[in-house]
Amino acid sequence: MVVTTDALVIAGPEGYCIDSEASADRGETAFILLGNCAALTEARLARQPAEPAILTAAISEAGEEGGVAASLSSLPEFFASEDGRRVLSRSGDAETVEVLQSSVDGSVFYLNASDNSANAVPGVRDDYWRAYFDLGPRIATLSVLALDGSGLTEEQSIDLLRRFATLTQSRNAAVTGVAVSAPEPSGGLLGGGGFMGRLFGGRG
């Protein structure tokens, strides 16, 4: 799916297809939902993902202060704060969110959090993985939401998110001017106000 006025390309890892009915391109921002190709197309021979999850991609504008790269060192402290947890909460209530871990890998900020908001996404677990990075002049927020009862492990979630982030970066190399190589296996766990709200206010 090509989104925003910058013609950014969003595509899913193998087995994941875009749900066009649940996705929206607003020109300056966009939200894309990806799920099991076989389920979305109702085709028995369609590709199926190895990991049972829902993926989302939110594209937003950067603030005047810059994008993710300019704020990498301050992101762990921000998301651990009440303001940061409020941004992460689907209900806007900081008390519903617990930040479990976070890590910086190159120019990408990874976050693992749990949100027990009453209006959580139906059919998915409270905990999720998220990646933030600059995508040309805009900011990409990618999420991995494990399905209830799927047994998706932490390592699988991390690897899936890294593949999704690498694919997104590589498909947009012409826009960003940054060459991206395939990620190495994660090998286990990740270590580890107004401007931030504008950067990361997209929830999904």
Side-chain angles (χ1 to χ4, degrees):
M1 183 172 179
V2 179
V3 298
T4 76
T5 55
D6 296 299
L8 300 175
V9 179
I10 303 299
E14 184 174 0
Y16 289 95
C17 291
I18 291 172
D19 184 339
S20 57
E21 294 185 1
S23 302
D25 177 13
R26 303 179 181 90
E28 300 305 315
T29 64
F31 175 79
I32 303 92
L33 179 72
L34 303 94
N36 185 313
C37 287
L40 288 174
T41 62
E42 298 183 350
R44 290 188 300 174
L45 298 181
R47 295 172 300 156
Q48 298 230 25
E51 305 89 351
I54 292 173
L55 308 182
T56 67
I59 307 299
S60 59
E61 298 179 271
E64 294 180 359
E65 298 86 347
V68 175
S71 309
L72 278 174
S73 62
S74 62
L75 292 183
E77 181 179 356
F78 169 72
F79 281 116
S81 71
E82 183 175 351
D83 285 342
R85 288 183 286 110
R86 185 179 298 111
V87 167
L88 292 172
S89 173
R90 296 185 182 96
S91 61
D93 181 1
E95 296 304 314
T96 69
V97 172
E98 179 184 4
V99 176
L100 304 174
Q101 52 189 311
S102 64
S103 176
V104 174
D105 183 7
S107 60
V108 182
F109 178 72
Y110 290 97
L111 175 77
N112 178 209
S114 178
D115 181 5
N116 62 10
S117 295
N119 60 341
V121 179
V124 302
R125 299 197 316 227
D126 289 346
D127 61 303
Y128 59 83
W129 287 87
R130 191 169 282 179
Y132 300 96
F133 55 91
D134 295 320
L135 198 61
R138 304 195 185 278
I139 293 168
T141 303
L142 308 185
S143 299
V144 170
L145 309 172
L147 300 178
D148 280 337
S150 66
L152 191 69
T153 67
E154 198 167 51
E155 185 175 32
Q156 288 175 317
S157 297
I158 298 168
D159 286 337
L160 176 57
L161 183 58
R162 293 181 71 202
R163 296 200 313 272
F164 190 20
T166 300
L167 176 62
T168 302
Q169 290 173 315
S170 64
R171 293 294 290 268
N172 293 282
V175 174
T176 64
V178 177
V180 181
S181 57
E184 295 294 329
S186 66
L189 305 181
L190 292 173
F195 166 58
M196 295 302 182
R198 182 175 178 183
L199 279 183
F200 308 118
R203 299 170 190 137

